[in-house]
Amino acid sequence: MNILRAKVALVMLGALGTVLAGCSSPVAGTPEPNLPSTSAGAPSKPANPFAARNQCALLDQILAGQGFPQGTPTIADRNRSCAAQKPSAGMTSGIDVAVILQDGQPYTDNVNHPETARRGDVNGRPSIEQPEPLNSPGQCQVGMAVEPSSRALVLVTSGSDTKAACAAAEKYATALEPLLPKS
């Protein structure tokens, strides 16, 4: 059941991110006519800060030596996310950990429950921790800023203990942060 809930959560996060990424906000100001550009070309999109990184290699690195199998790309967003699951053993709940690298999505986007989200930092990098991001006990997500306007997410599902999931998400985010691009 834990595997199914984790997969559903990852699918929902990917779908939510895709839907919300397509939305735009109103822009304040006075409309002006479209004037010809004075530059040699149109402004280019900033380079993908994750171009030289692989989400599964990063996940495997932060989980090394902890009994997890090798990470695999998720169904929801295989080009940007990777997950690994350590099954339950005796009295210890299983745990699912995912790393999602989202170019062009600020860490402040898609905060589902601002009333429970906590702003902070991971090794000095701005972050937001979201307990139960999909209203599912036992889940926690830490989103970290990656400049200029991207984010790295760590999503943990662990039984129904949200506090333990958040402690694990913080632990894995702290391990991931030094491996992310510096601004």
Side-chain angles (χ1 to χ4, degrees):
M1 187 65 169
N2 195 20
I3 296 171
L4 179 59
R5 187 169 57 171
K7 287 181 181 179
V8 168
L10 287 172
V11 169
M12 295 298 293
L13 275 175
L16 181 63
T18 302
V19 168
L20 292 177
C23 298
S24 63
S25 302
V27 177
T30 308
E32 296 181 13
N34 190 9
L35 301 174
S37 174
T38 56
S39 66
S44 63
K45 180 182 172 190
N48 179 348
F50 303 120
R53 287 169 177 78
N54 175 281
Q55 65 277 10
C56 286
L58 292 173
L59 180 66
D60 292 341
Q61 191 170 344
I62 67 172
L63 298 177
Q66 298 177 50
F68 283 87
Q70 197 168 34
T72 57
T74 65
I75 294 169
D77 193 355
R78 66 181 307 105
N79 293 325
R80 302 188 307 173
S81 62
C82 190
Q85 178 191 33
K86 182 170 29 170
S88 299
M91 298 298 290
T92 305
S93 292
I95 184 170
D96 301 325
V97 181
V99 167
I100 304 110
L101 305 177
Q102 295 179 325
D103 175 37
Q105 273 188 284
Y107 80 106
T108 54
D109 279 2
N110 307 338
V111 177
N112 298 339
H113 303 286
E115 69 281 1
T116 60
R118 297 182 285 269
R119 284 184 180 266
D121 70 86
V122 176
N123 298 333
R125 187 184 296 267
S127 67
I128 295 178
E129 181 177 288
Q130 292 187 71
E132 301 180 16
L134 298 173
N135 289 328
S136 218
Q139 288 186 336
C140 193
Q141 174 183 294
V142 174
M144 296 177 282
V146 177
E147 295 303 328
S149 63
S150 298
R151 66 184 177 182
L153 305 174
V154 174
L155 177 65
V156 172
T157 302
S158 180
S160 59
D161 186 347
T162 301
K163 189 173 182 177
C166 285
E170 291 167 11
K171 170 185 157 183
Y172 296 126
T174 299
L176 177 63
E177 189 282 329
L179 306 175
L180 297 173
K182 306 296 180 220
S183 50

